[in-house]
Amino acid sequence: MKPENTLVIAISKSGEDTTQIEMMMQFLNYPILIVTGKNTPLRAMAEKLKLPIAIHPPIGGRYTGLTEVGLLPAGIAGLDVEGLYKGAKHFLQFIR
């Protein structure tokens, strides 16, 4: 992995997971994107380090696939995020 072609995405809703923070600190020489809650220690660290932050929505982890947590990395990877969202919405009509 080379920093010039890598993006580290650190995701922690609570922003208090010490393992997550320790792992992120191993990649400080890489571009890092933080996804965390509004008022978390991880967000405070990200602001101090001048890292970009995406706010984790106030929703439980198992339900975050169609939020910033799942769609942001998918979009960065080049997937059709709008198509994913539309497909999920289409599927939802069959399970309601």
Side-chain angles (χ1 to χ4, degrees):
M1 266 188 333
K2 297 179 182 177
E4 59 269 14
N5 61 9
T6 302
L7 174 64
V8 175
I9 304 174
I11 301 173
S12 175
K13 181 173 130 180
S14 72
E16 297 176 348
D17 184 338
T18 55
T19 302
Q20 177 72 345
I21 292 170
E22 288 171 353
M23 291 302 297
M24 181 201 68
M25 298 301 286
Q26 301 301 310
F27 293 95
L28 289 179
N29 60 330
Y30 286 77
I32 301 174
L33 170 63
I34 303 297
V35 181
T36 191
K38 285 185 178 181
N39 299 308
T40 69
L42 184 57
R43 181 178 181 174
M45 286 181 67
E47 288 174 348
K48 198 167 232 177
L49 295 169
K50 297 184 180 6
L51 299 173
I53 303 165
I55 298 301
H56 190 298
I59 185 170
R62 69 180 68 143
Y63 304 107
T64 59
L66 294 175
T67 68
E68 294 81 355
V69 173
L71 296 177
L72 181 62
I76 291 170
L79 298 177
D80 177 10
V81 172
E82 190 173 316
L84 288 169
Y85 195 80
K86 285 180 181 177
K89 192 173 180 181
H90 178 74
F91 175 74
L92 185 59
Q93 74 183 4
F94 296 108
I95 61 171
R96 283 191 168 174

